[in-house]
Amino acid sequence: MQAQLIAAAEAAFEHAYAPYSSFFVGAAALGQSGKIYTGCNVENASYGLTICAERNAIFAAVAAEGPAFRLRAVAVANKACVACSPCGACRQVIYEFGPNASIIFRGAERGYTIAGAGDLLPAGFLLRTAE
Ligand code: THU
């Protein structure tokens, strides 16, 4: 399954829209349903509007499956084959849908590495309101 997720993420970066950074990223999100959803980064001339591949993949999953979507694993790939772990914003979004999800990404060593969502985002935020 890991190899399948990585392959899907690597296919997804071919769709990336990254004329400003030339950094092409793809992500593949595996849901509890067993289905895989992909996303790529989409940049904008107004830089801050850029969205990362990971969030696009997860948001596509929610759009397809609805609010009950739960994330089992997400793989992140980039065309440059350099180290690239999810940014802080994406870690928070990953944590929302899969606090125990596995994250597969290119780490400092060559090749892919795997870490838990809670390891990459210790004490991640979950909204709890007073009863
Ligand atoms: N980017 C992602 O899509 N995912 C990551 O994990 C890291 C960064 C994108 C955002 C931007 O389009 C480009 O990579 C350079 O930061």
Side-chain angles (χ1 to χ4, degrees):
M1 181 49 86
Q2 274 188 39
Q4 199 183 331
L5 264 191
I6 290 168
E10 289 180 346
F13 65 53
E14 297 296 346
H15 287 191
Y17 177 75
Y20 304 105
S21 71
S22 295
F23 192 64
F24 304 92
V25 187
L30 171 69
Q32 295 289 3
S33 64
K35 290 193 180 145
I36 293 173
Y37 302 90
T38 58
C40 58
N41 55 330
V42 179
E43 300 187 343
N44 192 273
S46 178
Y47 290 1
L49 300 184
T50 291
I51 184 154
C52 295
E54 296 91 320
R55 272 175 289 158
N56 265 341
I58 291 168
F59 294 164
V62 175
E65 293 196 8
F69 173 76
R70 303 308 296 161
L71 181 71
R72 250 163 65 186
V74 59
V76 193
N78 68 90
K79 199 168 194 168
C81 297
V82 295
C84 173
S85 64
C87 77
C90 288
R91 292 178 195 205
Q92 181 64 44
V93 170
I94 290 166
Y95 190 81
E96 176 90 16
F97 292 99
N100 298 311
S102 299
I103 305 176
I104 302 156
F105 61 98
R106 283 191 181 274
E109 306 297 319
R110 272 191 59 210
Y112 287 91
T113 185
I114 187 162
D119 298 324
L120 291 194
L121 188 70
F125 174 65
L126 292 173
L127 183 60
R128 293 184 183 87
T129 49
E131 311 242 318

